[in-house]
Amino acid sequence: MAVSERSAGSGAKNAKDARNALGADLGLSGDDLLEMYRLVALARAVDERMWILNRAGRIPFVISGQGHEGAQVGVTWALEKGKDWIAPFYRSIATCLTFGMSPRDIMTAQYATASDPSSGGRQMPGHYGSHEHNLVSVSSPVATQLLHAVGLALAARIRKTGQVALTIMGEGSSNQGDVHEGLNFAAIHKLPFIFIVENNGYAISVPLARQVAGSSVAQRAAGYGIPGVTVDGSDVLACYAAARDAVARARAGDGPTLIEAKVTRLTGHSSDDQQTKYRSEEELAADKSLDPVPKFREQLVAAGILTPEAEEKINAAIAADVHDATEYAEAQPDPHPSTAMRWVYAEDWPSESPPPWGMGEETASGSDSAPDSDAAADDAAADDAAADEAAAPIDESAR
Amino acid sequence: MALKTFIEAIRDGLREEMARDENVIILGEDVGKKGGVFLATDGLWDEFGDDRVIDTPLTESQIIGTSIGAAIGGLRPIAEIQFADFIHPAFNQLVSEAARLRYRSNNGYSAPMVVRAPYGGGVHGALYHSQSVEAFYTHVPGLKVVIPSTPHDAKGLLRSCIRDDDPVLFFEHKKMYRSVRGDVPDGEYTVPLGKAQVTHPGTQVTVIAYGLMAHYALEAADRVADDGISVEVVDLRTLRPLDKETVLDSVRKTGKCLIVYEDNRFGGYGAEVAAIVAEEAFDYLDGPVTRIAGPDVPGVPYNHVLEDWFMVNPEKIEAGIRKLAAY
Ligand SMILES: Cc1ncc(C[n+]2csc(CCOP(=O)(O)OP(=O)(O)O)c2C)c(N)n1
Ligand SMILES: [Mg+2]
């Protein structure tokens, strides 16, 4: 199938027409659009707070989704929450928020607290996951998750659950061999599988031209005999429309779809990266115009959907959520070493012995590795937790 | 009770588990119509159909990665890797993903799946059809590694692996497929994971082995018995989690420990067993903890003279026992 360009287009003559038109052709109500906007803006606000906390020395590392939020909310909106599956990647903050994780869930991952639902503080920030919300646990080796989503799609097909499995990664990661192996298998078996590439033009410092021969990931879909769609990733509704079509195809048994969403990376690769070393100031300034947040906002304002009152309400709610998530995560205890050998296997094995230095019995504080060593409050909290967790080491809430 | 070959016991185990639980599926190369290159899955495609016995493309990483996803999605996949030698393309999926999923998600996710693969030499398979790969995976917390030596254990352990909630690698010595026969009980018996078995009681030297080497160790024990050397053979069956208790109990009794494995000696699985024995039974030892293992060349050579030189056999084990017994 050919590569197609999509755009939701907002050629409305005036606000009233637009109110009738915007989203209506896609079956989206004004309330849907407001909620989508809230999620886009919430993801941005959570993300910005992460950077502030990083600069303040509260959290050691940030990997950001800024510039990707529009595509993430648009795509995720097309799936059925609590039913379908997503195997996300490290920039998927908006994806995870849209699929049911809370700002607290995201923020506890930044602090690596015992209560972090993604990993109980075991993984680096950005490695989200929630069984409760059908978000598969993220690992660090890129692209491995594609095969897991394909396997989920296979299980859905065999078990006739009607579920769709979607995975997401960057364009650089899409070069991995697992992507080829998985797309081939998914296409052969016409699995209910969707592959989203959030193409931000860079894999850390290496630009698209040095990553992707032909510069289009979507075009590669043709080799597997599946549709490859390119979409403007700053256009939330275009992303929704493309994903909705892909979901329909998947549910109808027509097989996988590849969607390449062109996005921009508004931050460095991570808090450890200085992107001005390889991106010009002009380029960075120009890329600001691709920011999905103001773009979606203006679209909804022009359509008369995002009224000043509605916006004020949303902004207040977001500010409260971000504040709450930060305060909450700040106060959460670190995981205790007594829990560190748990969940290697389903059951404990006597032969899997603890190290000679034990399981942290001596030192009650488990925050030896926290670079923010001035975090006295955290240490105090960990002291309390040590006592609790020794008595009941299984934290059910962290599963 | 019925007399079965090693591969028949495996096939029966697969069939009975598939009949018991419709979530059990098999995927791998040529496992369908052909029934696998060794015929381990012969007849299963006819019986269970396309959805449950899946011929995959030639893509080992996909076989394992898809199995992980399918396991998350509620299936119980049994992945067949055609030869253990070709499992390496899937190393990342096994080590970075399957092994870590439960730990990294703090028990949010797990990957209950079995990876079956024929391993081992002595079959004129040369460098790329003879490898023992267990050490790569026994090194990895989160993976279980099982190597049965008898039809009874193969079937009973396979059942336990399929029902287990963690990823298990199940390595089958290909030389044993048709050369080893044994009694297999009727009915739904299981052999528990993490339990070794003393297959030959003795008092003077403990020989620890698994897979084909467990048979050769028994032969060696018989050979030296005539000279009054009493050997206790421990068949590990599960390599990880290791049944330390059975190993240490035996060594504490005999005071001497020889570990036998077919894989390259350096950094092989037996090195870990040796370290554990040295650390935890030091006070009981009357001789050095020793190993009889494959030589340190990058693969089993093809020419039969060279292959014979490579392979550990009962004579080589016998020599190791005699040397250790003399201490
Ligand atoms: C297998 C593997 N190799 C290298 C890395 C280090 N790494 C992490 S992200 C990244 C770049 C990924 O670029 P892309 O896929 O375009 O995603 P983006 O970060 O741009 O969103 C690299 C090289 C890794 N995590 N995994
Ligand atoms: Mg990129």
Side-chain angles (χ1 to χ4, degrees), chain B residues 152-160 189-193 195 237:
Chain B
H152 170 279
D153 285 356
K155 187 173 176 184
L157 283 166
L158 185 57
R159 266 211 195 92
S160 297
Y189 76 100
T190 58
V191 174
L193 302 186
K195 284 262 170 278
R237 308 197 292 190

Side-chain angles (χ1 to χ4, degrees), chain A residues 130-219:
Chain A
S130 164
H131 199 280
E132 187 190 346
H133 300 297
N134 286 12
L135 287 156
V136 179
S137 156
V138 173
S139 69
S140 293
V142 296
T144 50
Q145 75 273 21
L146 183 133
L147 289 170
H148 309 159
V150 170
L152 280 159
L154 178 71
R157 224 267 324 274
I158 292 174
R159 303 180 73 210
K160 301 184 175 56
T161 61
Q163 293 162 301
V164 170
L166 178 145
T167 194
I168 314 156
M169 70 184 67
E171 79 294 345
S173 305
S174 76
N175 295 306
Q176 287 277 339
D178 276 359
V179 172
H180 167 61
E181 294 193 13
L183 285 177
N184 183 50
F185 185 81
I188 286 171
H189 292 276
K190 284 196 181 295
L191 297 181
F193 168 69
I194 300 169
F195 179 28
I196 306 290
V197 177
E198 291 179 9
N199 179 355
N200 59 16
Y202 284 90
I204 306 186
S205 68
V206 182
L208 183 67
R210 293 267 161 154
Q211 283 284 352
V212 179
S215 290
S216 165
V217 183
Q219 252 164 12

Side-chain angles (χ1 to χ4, degrees), chain A residues 119 122-123 130-131 135 137 139 144 147-148 151 157-159 178 181 185 340 343 345-347 349 351-353, chain B residues 51 59 61-62 65-66 69-70 73 92-93 97 102-104 107-109 142-144 166 240-242 244:
Chain A
S119 80
R122 289 172 172 193
Q123 294 222 71
S130 164
H131 199 280
L135 287 156
S137 156
S139 69
T144 50
L147 289 170
H148 309 159
R157 224 267 324 274
I158 292 174
R159 303 180 73 210
D178 276 359
E181 294 193 13
F185 185 81
W343 308 130
Y345 301 100
E347 61 293 292
W349 288 88
S351 56
E352 304 287 320
S353 6
Chain B
D51 263 359
T59 45
S61 189
Q62 173 269 314
T66 305
N92 192 35
Q93 285 290 344
E97 303 299 330
R102 184 187 295 280
Y103 189 78
R104 77 175 191 227
N107 202 36
Y109 284 97
L143 297 178
K144 294 176 179 171
D166 288 304
R240 189 159 191 176
L242 171 65
K244 272 193 198 176

Side-chain angles (χ1 to χ4, degrees), chain B residues 134-199:
Chain B
E134 65 273 16
F136 296 120
Y137 301 103
T138 53
H139 179 64
V140 181
L143 297 178
K144 294 176 179 171
V145 178
V146 171
I147 303 189
S149 72
T150 65
H152 170 279
D153 285 356
K155 187 173 176 184
L157 283 166
L158 185 57
R159 266 211 195 92
S160 297
C161 291
I162 294 167
R163 299 174 188 190
D164 197 82
D165 286 333
D166 288 304
V168 192
L169 286 102
F170 189 88
F171 294 121
E172 305 157 5
H173 202 295
K174 62 179 88 68
K175 193 182 171 78
M176 289 167 34
Y177 274 147
R178 287 172 179 80
S179 64
V180 170
R181 282 188 167 68
D183 278 331
V184 175
D186 306 322
E188 230 181 88
Y189 76 100
T190 58
V191 174
L193 302 186
K195 284 262 170 278
Q197 191 176 36
V198 174
T199 52

